Amino acid sequence: MPVPDPALLARKAEIVRALQRIVPGEGVVSEPAGLVPFESDGLSAYRQTPLAVVLPETTAQVSQVLAWCQANGVKVVPRGAGTSLSGGALPLADGVVLGLSKFNRVLEVDYANRCAVVQPGVTNLGITAAVEAAGFYYAPDPSSQIACTIGGNVAENSGGVHCLKYGLTTNNLLGCELVLMSGEIVRLGGKAMDADGYDLLGLVTGSEGLLGVVTEVTVRILPKPQTAQALLLGFPTVEAAGATVGDIIAAGVIPAGLEMMDNPAIRAAEAFVGAGYPVDAAALLIVELDGPEAECAELTGHVRALASARGADFVRVSQNEAERLAFWAGRKAAFPAVGRIAPDYFCMDGTIPRGKLPQVLTRITELSAHYGLGVANVFHAGDGNLHPLILYDADRPGELERAEAFGADILKLCVAVGGVLTGEHGVGVEKRDLMSEMFDATDLACQQRVKCAFDPGLLLNPGKVFPTLHRCAELGRMHVHRGKLAFPELPRF
Amino acid sequence: MPDTMLRALKPTSAEEVQAIVAEAGAGARRLAVTGGGTKRSVGSMEPVDAVLSTARLDRIVDYSPEELTLTCEPGVRIEDLERLTAAKGQMLAFEPPRWTRLLASRGEPTLGGVLSANLSGPRRIRAGAARDHFLGFEAVSGRGEMFKAGGRVVKNVTGYDLMKLLAGSWGTLAVLTQVTVKVLPAPRTETTLLLFGLPDVRASEAMTVALNGPFEVSGAAHLPSFAARARPLKAEMAVTALRLEGFDASVAARAEALSAVLKGFGRIEMLDAGHSRDFWTQVREVEAIASDPRPLWRLSLPPAQGWRGPHGLPGDALYDWGGGLVWLATEEPPAKVHAVARELGGHALGLRGHEAFGPRYGALAALQARVKAAFDPLGVLNPGRMEATS
């Protein structure tokens, strides 16, 4: 992280007083004990006590806080529920955490336009709760959906097990209100299906809190599918499970969910929840089909036949809603389940072309032996998003560093086979230093100029996403080469 | 000189594109960027010194049906991509429109052009817009720098989502040199339910009922009688159409269930798969209004507000996207069209003549200008194209 500025640390009392003037009452936290809950997010290997925490209640307060911080050169780290798995909300020693937890109201549900207008602190599941009586739901479903907030989902462009069919957060947003670091308030999109001018809503979604603070979100809501049915399919080899995934897609079926777990993940989940998983299978597929009953019945038969043809030796089809939810319970609890078999774990998040899965899993097994650390793999198989969980014990000297190196090797491997560093968890601090595996200096400069267009002082969530922070003035220079012309044979002006 | 009179530079590699853009920047020259050139009439471009066409950047780089991804150069024609993906039972799910008749343009729409304009057909309500299928790219910015963003996999949040930014940027930020898009299985069959004689507001209600139930409607359009009378429909009264796509048993079950909830809207007829396809092609291409001589507007509005559009703007309108996309032929002044669309919570795009884009104000306008400057500080690419002229 950037080295804390001693001058800012020395100004703590003044900064706290200024924030208290904007957000009176208990909206500013500065006592050491009060700051503890904000020290880390879901990536708990990294901790940092912030200078102070401010918890505004109105957009006007957010605007004033940001404007004051910009005028006074104070860094700001926005925070939703703090469930980020990439350290997106990791505080700065000389920075203020801006928590949006008090923005917790559903402002409007507009069924005629199939959307809901909510404040950013509303939980992901809270949106569905507000609309389900009318037969609607909000589709993206990160596993932390009970706790994670829609504001955080926008910042991270969160996914979930149903995003193969229904898309990530970005595909389910219509508009937002955004406060820039300058304090200026802009509205992006609205209730219409496309926006005027550049698609800044799409740009801000997944920008990891670096471009602005979202103070209101308009999300699409969808009518609930008539039925949903899940299959559990156990396979003797990972290759057979992977091939079945390819067959399902090739047959023109896009399941609502298509998950894979390897044997260590199956065992951990089964021991934790008792979902009825086959503990001897090398790989387990969970396939969910939704839609009208006629469709579920037809496709369930189809998927079953494809799995059997690839040698599936364990086949269960959910017979009712309770059973379907039980099938998912193991997968959704995979992370805590693994948390029970090892003191600590790192969850990686690369995406690979699905066809490379056997190759990648073989290499991960080799790396596991090399580093002497266990690994369990859960996999959003339909879209190629791999979550290897690296098991380690932070109390044993050197293990954290080995786990980090193991994780970095896995992500480099993902990039090497044509994939990417992160499918849904974000870059944050965790994968920041690996960005150059995917992007060269020019690519990163283009991205950082976007940052400069929104936050020229680089005060909003610095130290995340980008390995090096260039000053905006330096990035803005045009380098025009007037030397020898390339392609002299090209037609010219 | 009008840009149609200028010689088109047709580079065949990203390196050539870079050389052209860099040289333009160095010489304070400006470029019109085009794909197939079919939408050149949209937007009010300032004078340029040359046309940079991506038409010869037309190679397929990789098509992996099992990965649901397709990587190609931007000049690949939509027709060719549709043939290629159809052979594998797949499609570009956002149903890219051609707009060649609509804009009376020659040439062939390309993938790069469709992405740059973020154009989506009737399936937009279910499958998302072009921007939702844009996974990655390589491009040359207005600075003359080659850069890339995104990836070649369907799920990726690494770095800023510059695909969203370039989709709908009308070539004003960068010249695409390679793109990756998501492809999806094509539906096995389709049918369309037709309702007859509904006034606009009642049609809006019918579409809302259909879209708010578990029927997976993939097209919801309303053609008032003036439009339904035209070819190819030649109906005698207004027609409201709802498309269902998917596996046979599913489509049949949904058609039955949807018919039941729409009983109160009168007689229902169904189109078989072939007629349904033809019908939605003409909706996608706005054929019913394409030869109207008046200025033509595309209003993007909250769907349930769509029918209100023509109330403030006398003219003839037809509706797609469940009412969220209003095609309006009107003589009303552009400033008024933009203002009414904004009041209704959306915006307007003018397709014939000038003033395609409306004015933007305040902090948002300034932010958009800073974003433009981040990629093209010298204003080399498609100068003024997305600006309001009034």
Side-chain angles (χ1 to χ4, degrees), chain A residues 28 57 60 64 92 97 135 203 226 301 349 396 411 417 427 436 461 477 484:
Chain A
V28 179
E57 292 181 52
Q64 288 167 39
L92 296 164
V97 166
L203 177 63
Q226 209 175 44
D349 175 45
R396 289 201 202 135
L411 295 182
V417 301
V427 175
S436 52
N461 219 6
R477 275 184 219 128
K484 222 169 104 190

Side-chain angles (χ1 to χ4, degrees), chain B residues 312-334:
Chain B
L313 299 164
D316 283 323
L318 54 91
Y319 307 82
D320 194 359
W321 298 359
L325 181 63
V326 183
W327 292 97
L328 177 70
T330 181
E331 301 282 6
E332 293 295 303

Side-chain angles (χ1 to χ4, degrees), chain B residues 332-389:
Chain B
E332 293 295 303
K336 186 175 171 198
V337 178
H338 287 298
V340 170
R342 184 181 299 268
E343 258 167 52
L344 290 171
H347 73 277
L349 178 70
L351 290 179
R352 291 180 196 147
H354 292 289
E355 301 179 64
F357 294 89
R360 295 174 205 108
Y361 304 98
L364 181 56
L367 180 60
Q368 299 246 11
R370 292 199 299 274
V371 170
K372 162 76 175 173
F375 288 84
D376 183 20
L378 302 175
V380 174
L381 305 176
N382 281 353
R385 191 168 190 191
M386 292 179 78
E387 303 301 318
T389 42

